[in-house]
Amino acid sequence: MLASVAYPVLRFLSPPEVPEDTSLTVSAGKASSLLPNSGRLVPFSAEPAIVVRLAGGELRAFTAVCTHLSCTVQYRDDLQQIWCACHNGHYDLNGRNVSGPPPRPLTPYTVNVKDDEIVISRTT
Amino acid sequence: MALRAWLLERTPLASIEEAVAHKSVPRHRYSVFYFLGGMTLFFFCVQVVTGALLLLYYRPSATEAYESVGFIMTRVPFGWLVRSVHAWSANLMIGAAFAHLFSVIYVHAYRPPRELTWVSGLLVFFITFAFGFSGYLLPWNELAFFATRVGTNMAGVVPGIGDSIVHFMRGGKDVSGATLTRFFGVHVAILPAITTALLAMHLVLVQYHGMSVPPSEEARVKQTGKAGPSMPFAPHFVLRDLFGWTVALALLAALSAFMPWELGRKADAFAAAPAGIRPEWYFLWMFQALKYAPATVLGVSGEFLVLIPVNLGVVALILLPFLDRNTPRSRRVIKGLATLALIFMIAMTALALLEKAP
């Protein structure tokens, strides 16, 4: 009898799976408005992504979710690094974790520019 | 008097009066510690009252929570005060609970036959943190959003079932409106229900066993052969307790009026974590320790290495009355470990507070 009460309650407490947006590409805004040595956060499915224009003009994109405890990272123009404010984690512009507690690199995305529109995409 | 007679016929009022009249509180140099539990209870009562008031206007959804707290603070008469009192009282309650916990450890008040008093009190102490953690998210601001993301993510380091725990806590894959609704339910219904039961048990046991006397005082009484001094519970101790509560209320009112609790910026799941982000002061020591932890040590994640000693400490605390052999040496070891833990927490908190945001 206990199980007949507990089972539905426990099942109720467990959240159901909700289908996720699994888009493989997303538009990340105008390329011309992203200045050299700056970064931009954009929504990519359910998570944020970061697009960085290097000082030399090259565009790179990564997931913006820190591999340490999932805070959202940002671009630091003074360090020319990607930085997580939560626990002071640093990534270089290849997404590699270079100092602080992050255990893994940021996942890179492919960047293309079409008619001044930045399009980032992930590989399946 | 007619009412009293009516009550005497229908309730155990006479036996309660009898018990109160004969109840006394020991007097010694540590007697001031006896007031810390009552102080924590006072702040808890303030939380219940102000929390109930906030419920009248608060709306627990990602689209409305921040706006409803803003409405409380700017449009509802004295809304800013009620919210500020709720936030400050939460912090003062945790401060008082910390002081109560360490004072009980230092005077070894957990000794038999008070094991259940200790365990019930300790569970309420941990629930107080759960109240703080769940309540922190409710205004749905930037700091709360990332604090919750980090806090829930930490559960993910548990081997095997970590991801399931995170999913369960968040009500989904990431911190979202579902997390807010879940935390709201936990904060206003589940935790209060558990706390009420545990607190009732704790208070009944405190009354049943009476105040614990520290071993050093017990030894002195044994040596002199005379009972130690005491004071009547009513009105002497009660009046002193009320004086303490009045001081606490004055402090709470001053903090709430002169340093009203800020609302911050609305949470945005796609914005970067702001520079200088940090959790509430009572989680700062762990937050700072996580900063210093290396990414991995021999394949084990840094956060796991921080969480293991913390969890072992929690288990040791629960088992404290059973671990203490009640010998002078055992008591010295426990005091030493408690002091080390306290120094570590204070040092980490100070380092976090002194760290400047870039």
Side-chain angles (χ1 to χ4, degrees):
Chain A
M1 198 176 98
L2 188 67
S4 66
V5 175
Y7 181 74
V9 171
L10 290 174
R11 292 291 296 137
F12 181 86
L13 288 172
S14 173
E17 292 293 338
V18 179
E20 280 181 35
D21 176 5
T22 50
S23 311
L24 295 177
T25 61
V26 71
S27 167
K30 297 281 179 205
S32 54
S33 62
L34 187 60
L35 301 174
N37 194 26
S38 69
R40 176 188 291 161
L41 288 166
V42 290
F44 192 178
S45 302
E47 288 182 348
I50 185 165
V51 188
V52 177
R53 188 185 280 283
L54 276 55
E58 188 188 342
L59 287 168
R60 288 182 188 169
F62 308 92
T63 172
V65 180
C66 181
T67 57
H68 179 223
L69 288 170
S70 300
C71 279
T72 306
V73 298
Q74 58 189 285
Y75 182 70
R76 284 273 299 271
D77 55 4
D78 55 337
L79 302 172
Q80 299 198 354
Q81 283 186 335
I82 296 167
W83 177 64
C84 179
C86 285
H87 297 94
N88 199 27
H90 293 254
Y91 300 87
D92 67 13
L93 296 179
N94 291 308
R96 283 188 300 241
N97 45 319
V98 288
S99 82
R104 291 179 304 281
L106 297 171
T107 307
Y109 296 138
T110 308
V111 186
N112 289 297
V113 179
K114 194 178 176 188
D115 299 332
D116 197 35
E117 195 71 29
I118 302 171
V119 177
I120 60 174
S121 47
R122 63 176 132 220
T123 45
T124 47
Chain B
M1 290 310 280
L3 175 66
R4 189 169 180 279
W6 190 85
L7 284 172
L8 279 170
E9 275 179 24
R10 288 159 180 83
T11 65
L13 184 63
S15 39
I16 293 171
E17 281 178 347
E18 179 77 5
V20 170
H22 288 95
K23 187 175 164 59
S24 65
V25 177
R27 290 180 70 170
H28 46 77
R29 59 185 167 151
Y30 303 113
S31 292
V32 69
F33 290 167
Y34 293 147
F35 296 99
L36 293 172
M39 192 71 82
T40 314
L41 181 63
F42 169 74
F43 288 123
F44 177 74
C45 294
V46 172
Q47 290 306 91
V48 172
V49 174
T50 51
L53 291 173
L54 290 172
L55 271 178
L56 302 180
Y57 293 100
Y58 178 74
R59 292 192 290 271
S61 77
T63 50
E64 292 183 303
Y66 181 86
E67 286 74 11
S68 69
V69 177
F71 180 79
I72 290 170
M73 291 175 71
T74 56
R75 302 284 302 280
V76 179
F78 291 104
W80 64 273
L81 183 63
V82 174
R83 193 224 164 195
S84 202
V85 167
H86 193 72
W88 273 113
S89 178
N91 282 274
L92 293 173
M93 178 170 72
I94 288 175
F98 254 120
H100 183 41
L101 174 80
F102 275 94
S103 70
V104 168
I105 294 174
Y106 277 113
V107 297
H108 309 281
Y110 51 78
R111 310 191 307 284
R114 294 181 175 80
E115 298 96 323
L116 290 176
T117 318
W118 166 258
V119 173
S120 57
L122 199 59
L123 292 177
V124 173
F125 178 74
F126 294 140
I127 289 174
T128 306
F129 282 85
F131 266 119
F133 186 62
S134 55
Y136 196 53
L137 180 68
L138 301 188
W140 198 243
N141 61 26
E142 203 174 45
L143 286 177
F145 180 83
F146 284 108
T148 307
R149 208 184 232 182
V150 169
T152 50
N153 211 51
M154 278 163 62
V157 301
V158 179
I161 53 167
D163 287 343
S164 303
I165 298 175
V166 174
H167 194 260
F168 173 78
M169 286 172 81
R170 289 178 175 173
K173 188 169 174 272
D174 204 350
V175 175
S176 65
T179 320
L180 179 68
T181 316
R182 194 161 268 244
F183 274 37
F184 174 72
V186 167
H187 190 78
V188 307
I190 297 173
L191 292 180
I194 300 170
T195 307
T196 305
L198 284 171
L199 200 55
M201 178 181 166
H202 187 68
L203 294 174
V204 165
L205 286 170
V206 168
Q207 296 312 312
Y208 178 70
H209 291 299
M211 298 299 199
S212 163
V213 177
S216 56
E217 294 300 317
E218 268 183 356
R220 196 155 61 189
V221 168
K222 207 176 269 180
Q223 218 170 25
T224 56
K226 280 190 269 180
S230 65
M231 70 173 112
F233 177 73
H236 297 60
F237 185 80
V238 172
L239 286 174
R240 284 168 172 78
D241 229 357
L242 286 175
F243 174 74
W245 290 20
T246 312
V247 172
L249 183 63
L251 174 67
L252 180 58
L255 287 169
S256 307
F258 296 117
M259 297 168 72
W261 207 261
E262 290 183 8
L263 180 54
R265 282 191 295 189
K266 186 174 178 175
D268 177 356
F270 296 105
I277 185 173
R278 59 184 182 208
E280 290 284 61
W281 64 271
Y282 42 89
F283 289 127
L284 267 182
W285 63 276
M286 203 192 292
F287 166 80
Q288 195 67 11
L290 281 168
K291 270 190 181 179
Y292 294 140
T296 50
V297 178
L298 301 170
V300 181
S301 74
E303 56 264 40
F304 194 65
L305 289 176
V306 172
L307 291 176
I308 283 285
V310 171
N311 283 300
L312 285 178
V314 167
V315 173
L317 262 184
I318 293 170
L319 297 176
L320 190 58
F322 312 101
L323 296 173
D324 186 352
R325 292 178 182 173
N326 208 14
T327 60
R329 186 171 177 275
S330 165
R331 287 198 287 266
R332 271 200 304 276
V333 170
I334 285 167
K335 264 187 195 167
L337 289 173
T339 307
L340 280 177
L342 200 55
I343 290 171
F344 175 76
M345 288 161 81
I346 291 172
M348 283 290 153
T349 306
L351 285 170
L353 291 171
L354 292 172
E355 210 165 77
K356 283 182 187 156

